[in-house]
Amino acid sequence: AAVEGAMMVPGRSVRARLAWRALLPLDHDYSWSVQLLGPDGVAGQADRTYSMERVHAGDVWVDDYVFTLRPDAAPGKYSLVAGVYYAPADGGWQRLRAPDGRDMIELAVLSVQARRDAPPTAHPVLIAWSDGSQLRGIDWDDSVPGQRRLYLHWFRPARAAALDLVLLAGDVAVGQARVGPQAEAGYRTVACDLPAGTGEVRLQAHAGEALALPLAAWRLPAGTSLALPQAEPGARYLDLGGEMALVRA
C-alpha cells in the first residue's frame, strides 16, 4: 500500500493505493474497505467491490481509494487500515480474518494537523471569546434522519486549553461538544448532534471551571451565551475540500 503524504488536514482528500493478489478463485463478491481511524472512530472511508466473475486466481489488482477526511477530525495520530468483507446470502455482512484473528491490517500511521485556512461555511461570523478563541462559522446538516447536526468552525490560538460546549434550548441542554486542547494556532471544526427539528439554540462555552464569554466591541462581555442562527429547511453541510462546501440539498 502507498499513501500520498503523511500529514493530513480536515476536509481534504486522502488517497491510498492498495495492491493485492487473488491466490484462489473467489467464492463470493468481496469488498475491500480502507478506513482512517482516530480517537473519535472512523474519520474517513472508501470501499471497492470485486465480483467473482472478474477476479481469477493469480490476478493482481492495484486501485486507488480516495475519501475526504471528516471536517471535525481532531489533530493527532490516525491509523490507516484495510480489511475485506462480503455479504452472505442471508443478509448482513461478514469480515474476513487474518490468521492472528485481526479483521483489519494497518497500512500506515498518519498525522492530522489543524487547518491553516478557514473552512468553507454558509454562515461566516467573527465572534471573539474571552479565552482567545474565535467562532468563525456556523453550519447545519439535516441529512441524517432523526437528528440535526450543528457544525461550529473555530480559530484557536496556540496552546489553547479545551473548551466544553453546551447547546441550550431555553434553559434545557440539548447537545454538547468539546473543542480539544491545541498546541499550534489553527482552525478546528466540531460537530454536535441535536434532536431533529431543534429550533433556536444558544451556545455556552466552559474553559475549565469558568465560563468563556462571547465578546462585543472593545472586548466587553456580550452575555454568558450566544444565540445561533436557526437551521433552514433542507440544510446540508458537506466539505468538498478547498473553499467549497455543499450547504443545501
Side-chain angles (χ1 to χ4, degrees), residues 155-166:
F155 179 81
R156 302 276 281 154
R159 297 179 297 280
L163 271 183
D164 291 303
L165 310 178
V166 179

Side-chain angles (χ1 to χ4, degrees), residues 192-218:
C192 181
D193 291 332
L194 308 175
T198 297
E200 181 178 342
V201 294
R202 301 186 66 86
L203 171 64
Q204 193 174 78
H206 298 258
E209 298 297 325
L211 278 175
L213 303 177
L215 302 179
W218 299 289

Side-chain angles (χ1 to χ4, degrees), residues 26-48:
L26 300 187
D27 56 350
H28 296 279
D29 293 347
Y30 285 93
S31 298
W32 277 94
S33 179
V34 175
Q35 301 177 351
L36 191 64
L37 304 180
D40 298 319
V42 179
Q45 177 175 335
D47 293 49
R48 186 183 292 270

Side-chain angles (χ1 to χ4, degrees), residues 63-139:
D63 291 297
D64 287 342
Y65 293 74
V66 182
F67 56 85
T68 299
L69 186 57
R70 279 175 41 175
D72 58 333
K77 297 294 185 182
Y78 286 69
S79 179
L80 186 71
V81 301
V84 181
Y85 65 92
Y86 68 94
D90 57 355
W93 52 271
Q94 179 67 49
R95 289 184 177 180
L96 299 188
R97 294 188 178 274
D100 61 3
R102 293 180 299 164
D103 59 10
M104 287 284 188
I105 57 173
E106 186 175 78
L107 305 177
V109 175
L110 308 177
S111 294
V112 173
Q113 64 179 6
R115 297 179 72 143
R116 295 290 184 263
D117 55 333
T121 176
H123 302 284
V125 296
L126 177 52
I127 300 172
W129 292 69
S130 58
D131 74 321
S133 299
Q134 296 175 352
L135 183 62
R136 301 296 295 269
I138 301 160
D139 288 286

